[in-house]
Amino acid sequence: MSAADEPVRFDPSDFGAIPSSRALRSWMRRTRRQHADRSFWEIFEDAYLVLFTLAMVGATGGNVVRHLNSNAATCTSWTCGQLTSWLPWIVIPLLLATTIRVLLAVGPVSASRATGFWLLATPVNRASLLRPAYRLVIASVTVIGVVTGAVIWALLGEPWFDVIEAAVLIGAVLVCAAAATVWAQQTTRRSKWALRVSDVLLLAAVIPAVILAFRPGEDRFGNQVLGSTFIGLDARHELVDTYGYPTLQFGEVRDAGGLTSGQLYLLVLCAAAVVVGAVLTFVASRTLDRLGRVSVIAGGELLAGLAGAASSLDISMLGDVIAGRHWRLKGRVRSRRGRGADGAAIVHREFRRILRWPRRIAVAFGLLVVPYAVHGAGFHVLVPIAAAIAGFIAVRPMLDGLRTACRSTGLVRALGWDLRELRVVMAVVPGLFTIVWAACAFPAIGSAASSFAVAAAVISGTVRHASARPPSYAGPLVTSPMGAIPPGLFSQPARGFDLLVLCLAPVLFNLSSLWVVVIPSVVLMLMFAVRPKTA
């Protein structure tokens, strides 16, 4: 932490006693209440709507999860035993990697620019000023971790006692990861190493997913056994015992009314994880005064930008805000001389631009865990759509250059290219990466025609999404419960995904291989033949 980030030191004999952070926050709270322009009942109405919505969504979602849990509990196949045994080794590293990356992208501890200018530059204890934001981060991670763990384990058909244990364990593990990211936020070197750890965890999630996908299993929709046969409930318990997963012998547990050694072990592990999480949370809260003002304010600006992008329903703008913060914190890069001429020069520069952020490539290949995990779970019909969605998320960040060109008419004129031709040229490198990604996912997809359809869906969808014009605010507004909304906002989130679904339609409808290849090819050619619209 540089000298500019450290709190200013004043002599109390010159300026009087330094107030405590609690007294300062109390004074600010009284001031805000004196100048409040909303009554208590107006705030209560908004809070009531939020609570009522959460209650309705929770009741509906809970009923669906309970129904799926009861259906999954009746599965007695060998595939179900494999899925139950291998899923923790996929889910936990994946959740940890996602938590670390998301929290480090926003801080995790953040503050507005006004807070950083007026409060963090004062000699008041910085740790006490940042502690409310820190508690909010820990509480949010805890709730998300518990809900995610409960839903995943409930969908596996596990008893509710094991579901609660898994939810508590995952919530505690994610809280430990959140406390570690607060410690990593204090220096740039720690943040870089934390991101590297997240990359390793993402790789650790891919390995068991690939192993699970290549094991013989059963198609749950077609009821076709692939390399294995159905076995009875007792045999399933014996198989799971062989894998060593703690949720064993559920029928005997209900009859005896006690706990097995595996469940008791998991309970002790949950208690230990909760204790470790509480200790790390307390220790991290005592080190908040070491956080740099620059990183804290950058997180606040990022959240403000994300809120503005979300209000316009522009998913691409969300990525732009995150990328902008990344490059502002990086500061500078090493310039390299370009090669080639005309289109080759643009292709070379796009290739160099993608290599400047290698972690995106690592995350893109880490997303291969999605199709392999779906294949290993036995949902072979859903593998193409899962692979297409994962590929869309992997390839879309590589088209930031195309998005910048399509949003800047002056840049297109300076390059001297027509926008339709420029879109083709700037999609060459992402298209080659899509081919490599689809080839890596081919063993999970299982068909060359379906792999081609997935690749065509990914590149057509991402190019359309990146080259879409900004939302239009012209024309009459549409009345909604949320207020007046421009009609152009409704189509904004669907751009790109419409072509993705269209290319996968022959695969989902189980058409012949000829149509699986022809329809995506036609969509791809028409998409590149039409000139994109500009604002």
Side-chain angles (χ1 to χ4, degrees), residues 123-253:
V124 180
N125 187 7
R126 181 177 297 181
S128 300
L129 294 174
L130 296 176
R131 196 161 289 131
Y134 170 73
R135 292 170 181 169
L136 179 61
V137 171
I138 296 297
S140 302
V141 171
T142 303
V143 173
I144 293 174
V146 169
V147 173
T148 303
V151 170
I152 292 175
W153 258 254
L155 294 179
L156 291 177
E158 301 294 340
W160 291 108
F161 182 80
D162 296 320
V163 171
I164 296 175
E165 284 184 330
V168 173
L169 178 60
I170 291 180
V173 171
L174 294 187
V175 167
C176 295
T181 55
V182 173
W183 175 78
Q185 185 187 1
Q186 297 173 5
T187 61
T188 305
R189 182 181 179 84
R190 294 177 186 175
S191 299
K192 292 181 178 179
W193 277 104
L195 292 175
R196 293 170 184 170
V197 170
S198 68
D199 296 338
V200 174
L201 289 172
L202 196 60
L203 178 62
V206 173
I207 295 175
V210 174
I211 296 176
L212 180 63
F214 281 100
R215 283 179 172 267
E218 159 212 351
D219 190 347
R220 295 193 175 189
F221 289 99
N223 291 329
Q224 297 177 355
V225 181
L226 308 175
S228 63
T229 57
F230 284 94
I231 56 180
L233 181 61
D234 295 335
R236 181 198 175 202
H237 288 161
E238 183 178 355
L239 173 68
V240 179
D241 278 339
T242 303
Y243 283 116
Y245 190 66
T247 57
L248 312 176
Q249 303 293 341
F250 297 137
E252 289 77 5
V253 171

Side-chain angles (χ1 to χ4, degrees), residues 110-388:
S110 59
S112 63
R113 179 173 290 275
T115 302
F117 181 80
W118 293 105
L119 298 180
L120 298 183
T122 63
V124 180
N125 187 7
R126 181 177 297 181
S128 300
L129 294 174
L130 296 176
R131 196 161 289 131
Y134 170 73
R135 292 170 181 169
L136 179 61
V137 171
I138 296 297
S140 302
V141 171
T142 303
V143 173
I144 293 174
V146 169
V147 173
T148 303
V151 170
I152 292 175
W153 258 254
L155 294 179
L156 291 177
E158 301 294 340
W160 291 108
F161 182 80
D162 296 320
V163 171
I164 296 175
E165 284 184 330
V168 173
L169 178 60
I170 291 180
V173 171
L174 294 187
V175 167
C176 295
T181 55
V182 173
W183 175 78
Q185 185 187 1
Q186 297 173 5
T187 61
T188 305
R189 182 181 179 84
R190 294 177 186 175
S191 299
K192 292 181 178 179
W193 277 104
L195 292 175
R196 293 170 184 170
V197 170
S198 68
D199 296 338
V200 174
L201 289 172
L202 196 60
L203 178 62
V206 173
I207 295 175
V210 174
I211 296 176
L212 180 63
F214 281 100
R215 283 179 172 267
E218 159 212 351
D219 190 347
R220 295 193 175 189
F221 289 99
N223 291 329
Q224 297 177 355
V225 181
L226 308 175
S228 63
T229 57
F230 284 94
I231 56 180
L233 181 61
D234 295 335
R236 181 198 175 202
H237 288 161
E238 183 178 355
L239 173 68
V240 179
D241 278 339
T242 303
Y243 283 116
Y245 190 66
T247 57
L248 312 176
Q249 303 293 341
F250 297 137
E252 289 77 5
V253 171
R254 294 192 186 99
D255 296 337
L259 298 176
T260 63
S261 58
Q263 290 176 323
L264 184 60
Y265 170 77
L266 187 59
L267 184 62
V268 174
L269 188 62
C270 290
V274 170
V275 172
V276 173
V279 172
L280 290 180
T281 301
F282 176 77
V283 172
S285 66
R286 310 299 297 180
T287 61
L288 294 178
D289 55 341
R290 303 176 187 175
L291 292 174
R293 190 153 53 103
V294 174
S295 64
V296 173
I297 296 176
E301 293 178 345
L302 175 63
L303 291 178
L306 292 178
S311 63
S312 62
L313 301 180
D314 192 351
I315 303 177
S316 297
M317 190 179 295
L318 297 175
D320 292 344
V321 173
I322 296 176
R325 178 180 185 271
H326 169 80
W327 293 118
R328 281 196 301 270
L329 294 179
K330 193 175 184 64
R332 60 185 178 88
V333 294
R334 182 180 178 183
S335 60
R336 297 180 182 272
R337 184 180 297 274
R339 296 180 181 179
D342 298 332
I346 297 178
V347 171
H348 178 262
R349 297 312 304 174
E350 284 295 297
F351 179 74
R352 297 302 312 177
R353 184 186 59 82
I354 293 175
L355 291 182
R356 283 181 174 176
W357 201 340
R359 186 160 284 107
R360 280 184 168 180
I361 302 177
V363 173
F365 281 106
L367 287 173
L368 288 170
V369 68
V370 177
Y372 282 100
V374 174
H375 182 275
F379 301 102
H380 302 136
V381 178
L382 300 179
V383 172
I385 188 68

Side-chain angles (χ1 to χ4, degrees), residues 399-458:
L399 288 162
D400 288 344
L402 176 61
R403 169 177 163 78
T404 303
C406 292
R407 295 293 179 95
S408 176
T409 307
L411 179 61
V412 176
R413 292 175 179 174
L415 292 174
W417 286 68
D418 182 73
L419 187 57
R420 180 180 60 84
E421 300 173 350
L422 187 62
R423 182 168 66 172
V424 175
V425 172
M426 301 189 76
V428 170
V429 178
L432 295 176
F433 179 82
T434 303
I435 295 174
V436 174
W437 196 93
C440 295
F442 168 74
I445 299 174
S447 171
S450 299
S451 300
F452 173 79
V454 169
V458 169

